[in-house]
């Protein structure tokens, strides 16, 4: 078993942009609860931005600067949502692997989550 197996990808990065992980917690500690709150805030903020961007785009009266700002905000929020989905997907796969150890139908090697290619 690798030291990173079962580690939780946290919803923030280090000061130099590297991913942060919480190693094998029980899910109820301070950092886990903080990460849960940050993830919830990131998802709620992304949902609000989706609504706002729909209204902005529907008006058809935007400047190139407004579209650029919207693209920057959408990119940042999408990156947060992707990080949350990677973290949750990896934890689900790990739990499936742990509960299915020795089970031939466990569905893979229990490794990390990889997002599908973007079409």
């Amino acid at each position: 078993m690798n030291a990173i197996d079962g580690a939780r990808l946290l919803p923030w990065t280090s000061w130099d942009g590297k991913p942060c992980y919480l190693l094998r917690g029980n899910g109820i500690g301070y950092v886990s609860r903080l990460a849960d709150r940050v993830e919830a805030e990131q998802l709620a903020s992304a949902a609000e931005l989706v609504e706002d961007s729909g209204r902005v785009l529907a008006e058809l009266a935007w400047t190139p600067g407004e579209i650029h700002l919207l693209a920057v905000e959408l990119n940042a929020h999408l990156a947060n949502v992707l990080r949350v989905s990677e973290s949750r997907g990896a934890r689900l796969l790990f739990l499936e692997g742990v509960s299915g150890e020795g089970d031939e139908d466990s569905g893979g090697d229990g490794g990390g989550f990889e997002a599908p290619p973007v079409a």
Side-chain angles (χ1 to χ4, degrees), residues 1 9-11 14 20 26 35-36 43 74-76 95 100 102 114 119:
M1 183 175 265
L9 176 63
L10 295 171
S14 67
C20 294
N26 59 9
D36 291 341
L43 294 175
L74 286 169
N75 184 59
L95 291 174
E114 186 173 322

Side-chain angles (χ1 to χ4, degrees), residues 32-103:
S32 289
R33 291 190 322 268
L34 177 62
D36 291 341
R37 282 194 305 271
V38 169
E39 285 180 354
E41 290 170 6
Q42 288 174 334
L43 294 175
S45 181
E48 289 176 18
L49 184 60
V50 167
E51 289 181 22
D52 291 346
S53 65
R55 283 192 294 275
V56 167
L57 294 172
E59 291 178 11
L60 299 176
W62 21 258
T63 66
E66 289 170 326
I67 291 298
H68 181 262
L69 178 61
L70 180 59
V72 168
E73 289 293 316
L74 286 169
N75 184 59
H77 283 75
L78 183 58
N80 288 338
V81 170
L82 180 60
R83 178 178 294 279
V84 170
S85 69
E86 288 174 350
S87 175
R88 293 180 180 184
R91 286 185 284 156
L92 287 174
L93 287 174
F94 179 76
L95 291 174
E96 181 181 276
V98 168
S99 66
E101 282 181 4
D103 181 6

